[in-house]
Amino acid sequence: MEQIQDYNQISKKEKLKKWFDKITPYIFISPFYILFVVFGLFPIIFSAILAFNKWDGIGDMEFVGMQNFNRLIQDSEFWLSVYNTLIIWIIGTAPMILAALVIAFLINLKIIKYKNFYRTTMFMPYVTSVVAVTILFGLVFSSSSGLANGLLQFLGFERIDFINDPFWVKLVIASVNIWQYIGYNMIIFFTGLQRIPKDYYEAAIIDGASNYQIFSKITIPIIKPIILFVVMMSTIGGIQIFTEAQVLVPTNATAEGGSLTVVYYMYKIAFERSNYGYGATVSWGLVAIIIMFSILNWYLTTKRIKGEE
Amino acid sequence: MRKFNVSSIIIRGVLLLGVAFSAFPFYWMIVTASRATTEIYSVPPKFTLGDELLNNIYTVFESTSFFQSFLNTLFIAVVSTTLILFFDSLAGYTFAKLKFKGRHTLFVILLSTMMIPGLLNIIPQFIMMDTIGWVGSYKALIIPGMVNAFGIFWIKQYAEGAIPNTLLEAAKIDGCTTFGIYWKIALPILRPSLAFLGLFTFMQSWNDYMWPLIILNDPEKFTLMLELTQLQGLYFTNYPLVITGTLLATIPILIVFFIFSKQLMSGITEGAIKE
C-alpha cells in the first residue's frame, strides 16, 4: 500500500517536472512580452485614444472627436516644424551620406595605409553624447564669442547671428548631425566595400577603367542595398530630431521658429503647455509623415531598380 | 606615374581633412576648457592650450553637483546594462536553442515591435509613470527599458551559430536544469556578443537625454546630460566652465570607446549589413 502511494507521488513529481520543463521557455521569454504589453502596446492604444481627447493631465478627459486632427491640419506652427525638420534633414543627410561614401571608398583603396587609424578617428564622434556635442557647437557658432564668428571677423567678414537666424540655426543643427554620423555611415559603407570581390576591380583596371568609372559602374551598383539601408535609417533618425534643437535653443524654440522641429513641438505642447491630447495628435501626425517617407523611399527605389534591369 | 602621385596626394589630403573634421571639435573642447572666459573672446581666436584647465575642473566640481550627477548616471547605466544583458541573453538563448510551440510566431511578433516609432509612447508613458508615482524616480528610466527586441535578436543570431547542440544535450543528461545550462554553458559562450550589446547599451544609457529630461524633476537626481544643460543655463557667460563640464562628461565614454573600438565598430556593421 505504501509503495503504491510512493509510486503515485513520484509520478506526480515527474509530471510536474515535465510540465515545468514545457513552460520554462515561455518563462524565459516572458519579460519582453510583459514589458511590451505594459510599456509599449498599452501606451500606443492610450496614445490613440488621447489623440481624440482634450486633457491637461489633471481633470477629466474630454472627448472632442476629430477636433485635434482638424486643428493639426490648420496649425501653422506644426507645419513650420515639419518644414524645419525637412530642411534640417535635407541639408544634413544628403551631403553626409555622399561624403561618407566617398571617404569609405578612398580608405578602401589599395594605396592607403593605416586604414584603421582613419576608421577609428572618424568613428569617434558617434559615441559622444548629442548634448555635449550640441553645447560645443553652440559655443563654436555662438553669436557673441564663437570661433566661427571670430574667424569671420578676422577674415574681414561680418558676424553672422547663427543661433538666432532661422536659416543658420538649421545649418548648425544639421552640422551636429553630420559630424556625429559621418563616421558611423562611413564604417557601414566601408564594410560593404570590403565584401566586393577584388577580381571585379582587377578586371576593370585591366580593361583601363578610370577611378571614377570604377566607382560609378562597379562600387555603387553592388553596395546599393547598403546605401538604401543608410538612407532609410538616416531618414527615420532625422525626422525625429529633438535634442540638438532643444539644447541649442532651450528656453523657446523660436529663433523666429527656425529651430522648432516636430518632436520639439510635440514636447512643448505636451510637457510645457500640458496639452496631452493635442500632443498625442502631433505625434501621430509625425508617424504619418514617417510612413509616407518610407513608402516614397520604397517606391522610388523599387522603381529605379526595375528601370535598370 | 606622375598622375598617380598627384591623385594619391589628393586622396590622402581628403582623408586627412576628414580626420581633422572629426578630431577638431575634441581639440577645441580641450582648448576652451583650458582657458579663462576673457581669453576666448579674442580676435583672432587662439588655437593653443591655456593653463586654466585644472582651475576650471576644480570650479565645476566645487560649484555644481557635477560629481553627484556623474554617480547617478553611472548607477543608471550600470543597472540598465546589467538587466538588459541578463533578460536579452536569456530570451535570445531560448529562441535560438530551446524548442517550444509558437516559437516562430512569437519571434516574428518580437521583430515587428521594432518597427513601432518610440516617440508615440513618450506622452502616454509619462502619464502612466505619473499615475503610478514613478515620475522623478529611476524606476521610470530603468524598468521600461530593461529588455529590448534588438538585443534579443542580436543574441539569438549569435547563439544559433556559436553554441553547439551536443554540449547542451550533454549538460542535460548530466542533470543540469534548463536555467543552469543557460547560466553555466550558454552565457560564457555568448560573451563576445554580450560585449557589444553591453557597450552599446551603456553608451545609449549614458548619453540619453529626452526621457530623463521628462521624468526627472529633482536636481539631486539629475543625470550628467541634464546637469550639462543646467550648467549651460547657469554659466552661459562662462563658456570655459560649461565646456569643462562637457569635456568631463565626454572623457569616460571616449575611454570606453578606445578600449573597445574594434568590438563596437564590427558590431555595428554586423547589425547593419547582415540583416
Side-chain angles (χ1 to χ4, degrees):
Chain A
M1 198 53 189
E2 251 179 29
Q3 258 184 335
I4 293 171
Q5 220 181 351
D6 251 17
Y7 177 77
N8 272 344
Q9 260 180 354
I10 287 167
S11 83
K12 239 187 197 171
K13 251 188 190 169
E14 281 282 295
K15 257 190 188 166
L16 199 72
K17 196 182 170 286
K18 266 204 171 150
W19 179 77
F20 193 72
D21 273 349
K22 227 180 184 176
I23 62 156
T24 304
Y26 298 104
I27 298 174
F28 285 180
I29 60 169
S30 62
F32 172 79
Y33 295 93
I34 295 168
L35 239 65
F36 174 68
V37 169
V38 177
F39 296 113
L41 194 62
F42 173 69
I44 282 186
I45 296 166
F46 191 22
S47 170
I49 296 169
L50 267 177
F52 293 98
N53 282 277
K54 198 175 158 186
W55 196 40
D56 59 5
I58 299 164
D60 286 331
M61 265 194 222
E62 185 195 331
F63 182 78
V64 291
M66 290 301 287
Q67 204 180 299
N68 282 337
F69 287 94
N70 287 335
R71 180 178 161 189
L72 188 74
I73 289 168
Q74 289 159 13
D75 185 347
S76 60
E77 238 184 322
F78 171 71
W79 291 111
L80 176 69
S81 73
V82 172
Y83 168 78
N84 287 341
T85 309
L86 290 183
I87 296 289
I88 291 169
W89 176 71
I90 290 168
I91 56 180
T93 310
M96 171 181 70
I97 291 178
L98 195 71
L101 187 58
V102 170
I103 292 172
F105 179 76
L106 295 182
I107 294 180
N108 193 39
L109 290 176
K110 239 188 201 162
I111 53 162
I112 296 300
K113 286 176 197 159
Y114 314 114
K115 294 188 201 299
N116 244 340
F117 163 75
Y118 291 118
R119 291 172 59 217
T120 313
T121 38
M122 286 191 225
F123 186 72
M124 207 163 47
Y126 176 72
V127 303
T128 56
S129 86
V130 192
V131 175
V133 178
T134 307
I135 289 176
L136 183 73
F137 275 56
L139 166 68
V140 169
F141 291 102
S142 149
S143 308
S144 55
S145 60
L147 171 66
N149 270 325
L151 284 177
L152 281 178
Q153 217 178 8
F154 178 66
L155 296 171
F157 292 103
E158 295 240 334
R159 286 167 171 270
I160 296 172
D161 198 357
F162 288 105
I163 306 298
N164 294 311
D165 181 282
F167 171 74
W168 286 106
V169 73
K170 291 192 198 45
L171 199 76
V172 175
I173 294 171
S175 67
V176 172
N177 228 328
I178 292 175
W179 186 73
Q180 277 215 293
Y181 287 102
I182 198 167
Y184 167 82
N185 289 323
M186 182 270 284
I187 291 287
I188 289 176
F189 284 136
F190 179 80
T191 312
L193 289 175
Q194 288 217 306
R195 298 191 178 182
I196 300 176
K198 296 265 184 304
D199 334 354
Y200 288 20
Y201 289 121
E202 276 157 22
I205 291 167
I206 290 167
D207 288 347
S210 69
N211 271 343
Y212 176 74
Q213 279 174 319
I214 292 173
F215 185 69
S216 63
K217 294 273 157 63
I218 297 177
T219 312
I220 297 284
I222 294 180
I223 60 163
K224 204 169 186 177
I226 297 171
I227 298 179
L228 288 182
F229 172 82
V230 167
V231 172
M232 280 294 276
M233 296 309 286
S234 310
T235 309
I236 293 171
I239 287 175
Q240 298 184 43
I241 211 159
F242 165 76
T243 307
E244 293 89 330
Q246 204 269 344
V247 173
L248 201 62
V249 194
T251 40
N252 53 2
T254 57
E256 292 166 45
S259 59
L260 186 73
T261 64
V262 184
V263 179
Y264 198 169
Y265 185 53
M266 181 196 85
Y267 171 83
K268 278 174 78 104
I269 296 281
F271 301 107
E272 282 174 17
R273 300 182 201 161
S274 292
N275 192 343
Y276 297 118
Y278 188 50
T281 314
V282 173
S283 66
W284 282 101
L286 182 54
V287 168
I289 293 171
I290 293 177
I291 292 172
M292 243 166 53
F293 262 94
S294 301
I295 292 173
L296 188 75
N297 235 331
W298 175 81
Y299 173 77
L300 283 177
T301 51
T302 48
K303 197 182 167 195
R304 211 188 295 152
I305 288 167
K306 266 185 205 158
E308 266 176 17
E309 273 167 5
Chain B
M1 206 59 202
R2 207 174 139 249
K3 190 188 162 212
F4 173 77
N5 275 338
V6 170
S7 67
S8 89
I9 287 170
I10 293 174
I11 288 167
R12 291 205 173 81
V14 171
L15 289 182
L16 287 176
L17 208 69
V19 168
F21 175 73
S22 301
F24 179 74
F26 291 110
Y27 177 71
W28 191 246
M29 216 189 267
I30 301 170
V31 169
T32 312
S34 69
R35 291 198 170 271
T37 315
T38 47
E39 291 177 301
I40 63 160
Y41 286 93
S42 61
V43 174
K46 287 178 182 147
F47 286 96
T48 52
L49 295 177
D51 46 15
E52 290 290 313
L53 182 61
L54 291 178
N55 250 341
N56 285 334
I57 292 176
Y58 178 78
T59 315
V60 167
F61 278 119
E62 195 69 357
S63 61
T64 69
S65 41
F66 190 85
F67 189 66
Q68 179 63 44
S69 63
F70 184 90
L71 292 181
N72 295 343
T73 311
L74 195 65
F75 172 77
I76 296 168
V78 168
V79 173
S80 300
T81 307
T82 313
L83 288 172
I84 282 192
L85 285 183
F86 174 69
F87 287 115
D88 281 4
S89 63
L90 188 61
Y93 162 75
T94 306
F95 274 118
K97 291 292 167 182
L98 299 184
K99 294 205 163 58
F100 53 96
K101 251 187 205 161
R103 182 166 87 147
H104 185 70
T105 318
L106 284 169
F107 193 66
V108 170
I109 292 173
L110 178 131
L111 284 186
S112 53
T113 63
M114 285 205 270
M115 312 251 272
I116 300 168
L119 63 107
L120 272 181
N121 282 341
I122 293 169
I123 296 170
Q125 262 197 25
F126 170 78
I127 295 169
M128 277 172 68
M129 297 301 165
D130 199 25
T131 314
I132 57 179
W134 284 10
V135 167
S137 149
Y138 291 160
K139 278 182 268 186
L141 302 184
I142 293 169
I143 291 174
M146 69 182 186
V147 47
N148 60 25
F150 166 73
I152 295 175
F153 170 75
W154 177 260
I155 300 281
K156 178 194 175 253
Q157 298 293 93
Y158 187 84
E160 271 171 352
I163 304 174
N165 287 327
T166 47
L167 199 63
L168 301 177
E169 275 154 28
K172 204 173 178 186
I173 290 165
D174 287 348
C176 205
T177 60
T178 317
F179 185 80
I181 295 174
Y182 152 76
W183 188 254
K184 287 181 198 146
I185 294 169
L187 216 48
I189 299 175
L190 290 174
R191 205 178 286 154
S193 67
L194 291 173
F196 168 73
L197 185 62
L199 274 172
F200 194 70
T201 312
F202 186 86
M203 215 180 83
Q204 275 193 326
S205 179
W206 186 273
N207 292 336
D208 195 15
Y209 178 68
M210 190 177 187
W211 190 234
L213 173 73
I214 292 166
I215 287 296
L216 299 179
N217 39 25
D218 176 6
E220 285 269 300
K221 289 188 169 177
F222 273 7
T223 62
L224 213 42
M225 296 309 138
L226 294 183
E227 187 66 28
L228 281 187
T229 53
Q230 198 80 348
L231 269 182
Q232 194 191 18
L234 227 61
Y235 295 105
F236 64 96
T237 47
N238 193 345
Y239 272 120
L241 221 54
V242 179
I243 297 298
T244 305
T246 309
L247 180 70
L248 291 174
T250 309
I251 285 172
I253 209 80
L254 279 184
I255 292 174
V256 171
F257 170 68
F258 276 116
I259 298 173
F260 299 105
S261 61
K262 271 212 175 114
Q263 274 106 317
L264 248 181
M265 286 194 288
S266 64
I268 274 165
T269 50
E270 252 173 71
I273 292 173
K274 262 192 186 165
E275 268 171 61

